[in-house]
Amino acid sequence: MLLQEERESVVDYCRRLVTHHLTRGTGGNVSVCNRERGLMAISPSGMDYFRTEPEDVVVLDLEGRVVEGRRVPSSEVDMHRVLYAGREDIGAVVHTHSTCATTLACLHEGLPPVHYLIGFAGCDVRCTEYAPFGSRELARLAFEGMRDRYAVLLGNHGLLAAGPDIRYAFNAAEEIEFVCELYCRARSMGKPVLLSEADMEVVLEKFKSYGQRD
């Protein structure tokens, strides 16, 4: 089976979207890119994640042509594909409908640096205008909104996170949802105190050596 490891990762992390409360039902999608082969593995459209098996995951090239798979790929395939085509630093993409991130997206508000863990994405997280799901316009807006970042809020839609590998991309999605929740709660009680640009420069530098290295 082509890209077996990547397809197994997609199944695993799609299930984590539900168990980690980052989406409900069949919402969201996950993909992993194999740069050496110029291919991507993406979750199928509208399938129960706990019934999805690796062979249900669809393999496409970076032009969007199906290479292997009997299922219809996620409707957001273009949103994943443009990131792989335009960003050499991205190796995996995670799209969620997590509650607090989507709340800010429905307000068309970006996420400011209210907590240092926003550093998983960058110094802040932008929010795009609304575009229909599965559209090339949404893919374009997502790409522009994520420029120099690893996350973007999609207006009236949800959260898109990315990273050099699937572990990073999923962690970014989870941590940005956490920071969105903190920001929403803090705003309900008062005016949040934001980290300065200098504070975030220190955070981003420290993140370069954070965690384990394979």
Side-chain angles (χ1 to χ4, degrees), residues 6-32 42-44 47-57 70-71 93-96 166 170 174:
E6 289 85 352
R7 289 161 108 168
E8 289 174 352
S9 291
V10 168
V11 171
D12 179 23
Y13 281 92
C14 279
R15 293 173 181 176
R16 294 190 197 197
L17 289 182
V18 177
T19 59
H20 290 230
H21 308 291
L22 294 177
T23 199
R24 300 181 184 183
T26 62
N29 31 76
V30 173
S31 71
V32 178
I42 192 167
S43 50
M47 278 194 73
D48 183 332
Y49 292 138
F50 295 95
R51 293 179 177 271
T52 301
E53 299 297 335
E55 56 267 28
D56 295 313
V57 176
R70 58 193 176 90
R71 302 292 187 181
V93 178
V94 173
H95 172 42
T96 81
I166 188 60
F170 188 85
E174 198 163 34

Side-chain angles (χ1 to χ4, degrees), residues 134-204:
S135 66
R136 290 182 179 270
E137 176 63 6
L138 179 59
R140 184 190 69 79
L141 289 171
F143 183 85
E144 290 299 323
M146 202 186 283
R147 191 173 297 278
D148 302 319
R149 302 288 191 275
Y150 278 134
V152 62
L153 296 171
L154 307 173
N156 303 92
H157 189 150
L159 170 66
L160 189 67
D165 55 47
I166 188 60
R167 286 179 296 177
Y168 191 102
F170 188 85
N171 284 342
E174 198 163 34
E175 298 294 1
I176 295 307
E177 169 61 15
F178 168 68
V179 178
C180 286
E181 180 178 1
L182 290 180
Y183 185 57
C184 290
R185 287 174 178 246
R187 277 183 49 173
S188 73
M189 299 176 68
K191 183 177 180 180
V193 177
L194 304 181
L195 299 175
S196 68
E197 183 176 340
D199 291 331
M200 286 308 303
E201 287 178 1
V202 173
V203 168
L204 295 177

Side-chain angles (χ1 to χ4, degrees), residues 54-73:
E55 56 267 28
D56 295 313
V57 176
V58 186
V59 176
L60 305 95
D61 63 22
L62 300 189
E63 297 298 320
R65 294 182 289 260
V66 174
V67 175
E68 185 173 285
R70 58 193 176 90
R71 302 292 187 181
V72 175

